[in-house]
Amino acid sequence: MKKLLLSTVSMTLLSCHFALAQFTLVRDETTGTALVSEGDDPVLVYNYGDQLADGIATDRTRSCYVHPLFGLDGEIITDDFPRDHLHHRGVSMMWPRMRVGDRQVDHWHLDGIRTLNKNLSLVQLADGAQLVADNTWTLDSGSIAATEQTKWRLHPAGVDGRIIDVQSIITAGDEPITLQGAVLPKGYGGHMIRLAPRTGEIITTDRGEHTRDSDRLPFRWADYSATFKGAQSISGVAMFPHPDYPDYAPSWQLRPYGILSISWPGSRPYVIMPGESLELTYRMWVHRGNADTGGVAEAWTEYMHTPGLDRMTPTSNRMELFKDESIDWTLVGTATYDRTQGQLHGHGEEPRNSFLVGPEIFDFELETEILAEAGSNSGIQVRSQVTDDGKAVRGYQVEIDTSERAWTGGLYDELRRGWLESLDGNEAARGAWMPGKWNHMRIIAEGTHFQTWVNGIPCIDAHDAMDLGGILAFQVHGGQCDVRWKNTTLTHLGRHAWEPLFDGRTLEGWRRSGGGQWTIEDGILSGRIQADEPRHGHLFTAGSHDDFTVRLEFMSPSGNSGIYFRAQETGTHGIKGFQAEVDGRSGKTGGLYETGGRQWVVPLPENTASFEDVYRPGEWNWMTITAKGPRIVVHVNGRKTADIVDHEGRREGPIALQLHGNQDMEVRFRTIELLESTPGTVTANGIAAEHTD
């Protein structure tokens, strides 16, 4: 049975002394509770032992969560065993759908799995304290499915509020752990706070106040403020997900009746493989007043600028598209578009596609809510162009698809290459769209990198370098189409541009190695080698590159060549590492070969497929290579020839052009460019993008 806090029986006291504050941990073994205080002021109680309220069934027994969380004036701002949802518990972390191997359990409703505490300690820090809970996720059978360590970094209270940084590290045991939120439309599961009884509640996010239930929408922060039971004034608590949180900004569950919850990974599954770990980190801001008077937005900005985090706040440039009167909209086609009260309604039964064309965009984040009538096909054109005849729009389109195919969120190249990234086989993404309801879509484009989400579920994560900028447009597809957009916001993040690695006149920034000759004629870099030369020849960049995108215009009149990257100058061939193949004879131009290692990686050795229809013999060809972390993507003439996640290869090294020994060969390069960000460009999670892609 749960008891009121801090019986004087079996109590131990640990104290930490600081220049600015004294934090203490008071453990009550009879109740399984531990109170952390700053001086005489209570901060929080960690329930490390079994808790059960009077009159509640024993299957609701829980442990390893915070309750109460106290406000700065001693008010209790969390709830436990609320009568409407008995399983809700203070400040906690739990998922309603979880699998341990193939076994289905329910962390949220305490079915088949419990979190149990093994050790609890208060650690002295230079300024504040850290409560460390070492826990296990234990099945009803008694076996341990995972370990969890959660740290609560407690900062001294200021005039307006207190910072509490929360870090949870989950490590899977002998079987994979699958985390999954509730089924659509809710998707809840993850870090949550259940708020205490109160009056005058206000939920505020970086998008403004929310007076109704909210699910699946991504926010940078969210705050719940109210006058809590027994308090004399308004106070509240905000949650700031760390900008490296997966799928940042994550989706949320917000409930005026008392829930503030970061809902990740939502309704799609996330698997932690045996022995691997997942880290989830956020900051709480416990404050006096409401979100405005309690300085929540300012506290979030300060968090983003914390030394070591050093993030920018690109949302300060967010604009509401259909409320901004400075934007000039033009119609391409014959469909009808109505813009009223911040909503866009496109409709018609037209013989061809129509588009409402808006601003020019480069790197950006776009969020919108979409309601499409059954049978409608539509899309959002990004970085696109109006055709020369003014009758159509060409370029990238993020799909809106109400058919049974369900490819909403896929990436299509209108009037050019067709489908770039469909959702074929991606059942989680295909199931994200909810017919007849408002659906949330999020699009991020950063350099060559495109990401989309529908209702908080990731759809595509792709690289394509065809266009770095262009117009934004909303499509009404030919035939019967009726689609609405609302709450549509655009955040400009900056732009990327191509910078030459080869100046067309000299080999400045390059160095020769091995056999063969390199010459420059009329702005064209030519490499030649003879069959009697056993050595391979290479032309290395003077600098080293880790994450990058390079674009080359090349022709291969004879023989075999390649573009090495993250290379190492060593070995019998003078080089070791990955090369993107340049060989018009074999049909493998654009494949990936690892010299001094695994040899062919794409195509796989057992796969005889080639790319003969991609390379154009006797003509100039384009190749782009993107290497970002373990991800490597190669395109030849706009067609993707390789897309792998490689954890074995090198992550840094020079780029090198190859002359293959023991053969008569020639290769020519007319353009060699590296993608660079312009000053001021940032990513959606606030990282300065200089010299990155």
Side-chain angles (χ1 to χ4, degrees):
M1 181 178 296
K2 185 169 183 177
K3 300 180 180 180
L4 292 178
L5 297 169
L6 305 184
S7 161
T8 59
V9 181
S10 302
M11 189 178 295
T12 60
L13 177 64
L14 300 175
S15 298
C16 300
H17 300 278
F18 306 95
L20 297 179
Q22 179 187 25
F23 283 85
T24 58
L25 174 69
V26 177
R27 189 192 307 264
D28 189 335
E29 303 294 350
T30 64
T31 60
T33 60
L35 171 68
V36 178
S37 300
E38 181 186 4
D40 295 328
D41 298 326
V43 177
L44 59 83
V45 171
Y46 191 79
N47 296 277
Y48 63 89
D50 284 354
Q51 307 297 313
L52 187 65
D54 290 336
I56 304 301
T58 57
D59 64 359
R60 298 297 91 191
T61 302
R62 75 283 302 270
S63 56
C64 301
Y65 62 101
V66 166
H67 173 75
L69 176 67
F70 295 96
L72 270 66
D73 298 311
E75 71 277 20
I76 294 175
I77 61 178
T78 56
D79 201 2
D80 199 7
F81 296 97
R83 295 295 169 173
D84 54 4
H85 296 81
L86 288 174
H87 51 279
H88 288 180
R89 45 198 185 271
V91 185
S92 53
M93 179 177 64
M94 50 193 183
W95 285 268
R97 291 192 287 172
M98 183 185 294
R99 289 196 305 277
V100 179
D102 294 328
R103 180 178 176 181
Q104 187 77 37
V105 294
D106 186 339
H107 211 203
W108 188 275
H109 297 94
L110 300 160
D111 184 8
I113 192 168
R114 283 275 311 277
T115 303
L116 303 177
N117 180 251
K118 294 300 181 183
N119 186 61
L120 184 69
S121 61
L122 189 69
V123 180
Q124 177 178 349
L125 301 175
D127 178 15
Q130 185 163 262
L131 183 69
V132 181
D134 291 301
N135 303 325
T136 62
W137 290 6
T138 304
L139 301 175
D140 286 352
S141 64
S143 62
I144 295 174
T147 60
E148 170 212 322
Q149 184 180 76
T150 296
K151 298 177 180 179
W152 308 76
R153 167 73 163 88
L154 309 170
H155 299 251
V159 175
D160 296 320
R162 169 183 283 112
I163 293 169
I164 303 177
D165 288 314
V166 184
Q167 177 196 49
S168 296
I169 300 176
I170 305 159
T171 304
D174 295 333
E175 297 183 277
I177 301 292
T178 302
L179 308 178
Q180 192 170 11
V183 297
L184 288 174
K186 294 184 178 179
Y188 58 80
H191 284 293
M192 70 95 70
I193 301 177
R194 175 63 199 246
L195 283 306
R198 77 253 140 232
T199 59
E201 61 270 5
I202 303 172
I203 297 176
T204 311
T205 73
D206 59 297
R207 290 178 166 275
E209 290 188 10
H210 291 257
T211 58
R212 302 196 303 180
D213 291 357
S214 177
D215 293 297
R216 308 176 317 279
L217 298 180
F219 303 114
R220 264 71 175 180
W221 57 264
D223 175 78
Y224 198 110
S225 297
T227 301
F228 293 99
K229 185 177 180 179
Q232 301 300 311
S233 58
I234 296 173
S235 60
V237 57
M239 299 175 78
F240 307 154
H242 191 284
D244 288 334
Y245 209 96
D247 297 312
Y248 185 81
S251 299
W252 292 69
Q253 180 196 31
L254 306 176
R255 294 288 187 270
Y257 74 72
I259 287 185
L260 193 66
S261 176
I262 304 171
S263 299
W264 182 88
S267 60
R268 59 115 183 184
Y270 181 90
V271 180
I272 311 173
M273 297 305 293
E276 295 186 356
S277 297
L278 168 69
E279 178 178 328
L280 300 174
T281 304
Y282 70 96
R283 169 170 286 189
M284 281 194 293
W285 172 243
V286 182
H287 59 87
R288 294 186 173 96
N290 57 29
D292 184 22
T293 60
V296 174
E298 292 80 6
W300 174 72
T301 299
E302 182 179 345
Y303 177 44
M304 295 288 282
H305 291 280
T306 300
L309 194 58
D310 298 320
R311 301 298 174 92
M312 301 181 186
T313 53
T315 52
S316 59
N317 297 321
R318 181 189 284 156
M319 57 193 300
E320 294 195 43
L321 278 180
F322 304 134
K323 292 183 180 180
D324 193 321
E325 298 301 324
S326 68
I327 298 175
D328 292 326
W329 297 93
T330 58
L331 177 63
V332 174
T334 56
T336 300
Y337 289 87
D338 305 308
R339 284 192 299 123
T340 57
Q341 297 181 335
Q343 198 174 125
L344 175 66
H345 181 200
H347 53 97
E349 188 170 355
E350 309 301 321
R352 58 185 175 87
N353 297 346
S354 297
F355 305 86
L356 187 66
V357 177
E360 188 175 28
I361 55 176
F362 297 92
D363 287 15
F364 68 91
E365 178 179 14
L366 177 75
E367 292 186 56
T368 187
E369 293 177 60
I370 306 163
L371 178 63
E373 295 294 329
S376 296
N377 182 281
S378 180
I380 301 174
Q381 297 287 147
V382 298
R383 293 180 175 176
S384 297
Q385 298 85 34
V386 177
T387 56
D388 291 341
D389 60 10
K391 295 181 179 180
V393 171
R394 178 185 67 251
Y396 298 121
Q397 178 188 128
V398 178
E399 179 79 354
I400 299 172
D401 178 9
T402 66
S403 73
E404 292 184 2
R405 182 182 64 179
W407 284 359
T408 297
L411 188 63
Y412 184 79
D413 195 356
E414 178 86 1
L415 295 180
R416 202 161 48 179
R417 293 173 291 169
W419 281 103
L420 303 178
E421 299 287 337
S422 75
L423 302 188
D424 189 26
N426 187 344
E427 297 309 308
R430 291 184 66 241
W433 179 265
M434 298 183 295
K437 298 179 181 288
W438 284 99
N439 291 265
H440 181 269
M441 178 180 283
R442 183 180 182 216
I443 307 167
I444 294 178
E446 299 166 343
T448 67
H449 194 194
F450 291 85
Q451 295 172 279
T452 66
W453 293 259
V454 173
N455 292 323
I457 296 177
C459 294
I460 67 161
D461 185 336
H463 286 270
D464 192 275
M466 184 68 76
D467 294 306
L468 300 176
I471 55 96
L472 172 69
F474 295 83
Q475 183 198 59
V476 169
H477 199 280
Q480 185 66 41
C481 183
D482 191 305
V483 61
R484 299 172 189 265
W485 294 270
K486 70 175 183 179
N487 296 327
T488 304
T489 61
L490 175 67
T491 303
H492 293 285
L493 300 175
R495 64 187 300 179
H496 283 71
W498 296 107
E499 297 293 336
L501 274 177
F502 167 55
D503 63 15
R505 303 182 307 277
T506 70
L507 289 179
E508 183 179 355
W510 297 82
R511 57 183 175 81
R512 298 179 176 89
S513 177
Q517 293 185 341
W518 296 94
T519 60
I520 301 172
E521 304 166 8
D522 299 326
I524 296 172
L525 173 63
S526 297
R528 300 176 179 87
I529 200 167
Q530 304 298 319
D532 58 1
E533 172 58 78
R535 297 176 301 163
H536 293 292
H538 299 97
L539 189 63
F540 286 89
T541 57
S544 183
H545 304 275
D546 44 22
D547 289 359
F548 68 90
T549 295
V550 66
R551 181 172 74 169
L552 308 98
E553 190 180 13
F554 68 96
M555 180 186 295
S556 181
S558 61
N560 175 278
S561 181
I563 317 299
Y564 280 93
F565 54 94
R566 294 174 168 174
Q568 182 180 10
E569 192 172 2
T570 186
T572 57
H573 298 295
I575 199 166
K576 182 179 180 180
F578 263 131
Q579 66 165 304
E581 184 77 358
V582 173
D583 186 355
R585 302 171 305 168
S586 69
K588 292 184 178 178
T589 294
L592 289 173
Y593 185 88
E594 188 179 41
T595 301
R598 292 164 286 173
Q599 300 185 348
W600 282 109
V601 177
V602 178
L604 296 173
E606 63 270 19
N607 186 350
T608 58
S610 61
F611 321 117
E612 293 182 1
D613 57 338
V614 176
Y615 177 75
R616 299 191 291 258
E619 301 180 27
W620 287 102
N621 296 264
W622 285 97
M623 178 185 288
T624 59
I625 306 167
T626 293
K628 189 169 186 180
R631 180 93 176 266
I632 299 170
V633 184
V634 182
H635 288 80
V636 177
N637 294 324
R639 177 173 163 182
K640 187 163 62 176
T641 56
D643 189 345
I644 65 170
V645 176
D646 177 64
H647 293 286
E648 296 184 35
R650 289 168 52 84
R651 298 293 179 87
E652 184 176 359
I655 296 169
L657 312 178
Q658 183 202 47
L659 299 177
H660 201 292
N662 294 310
Q663 60 179 254
D664 293 325
M665 69 143 297
E666 179 183 0
V667 66
R668 302 171 188 169
F669 296 93
R670 190 159 65 179
T671 304
I672 307 174
E673 299 170 311
L674 196 67
L675 192 65
E676 295 280 4
S677 62
T678 59
T681 299
V682 298
T683 63
N685 65 354
I687 299 174
E690 278 74 19
H691 308 297
T692 67
D693 175 46

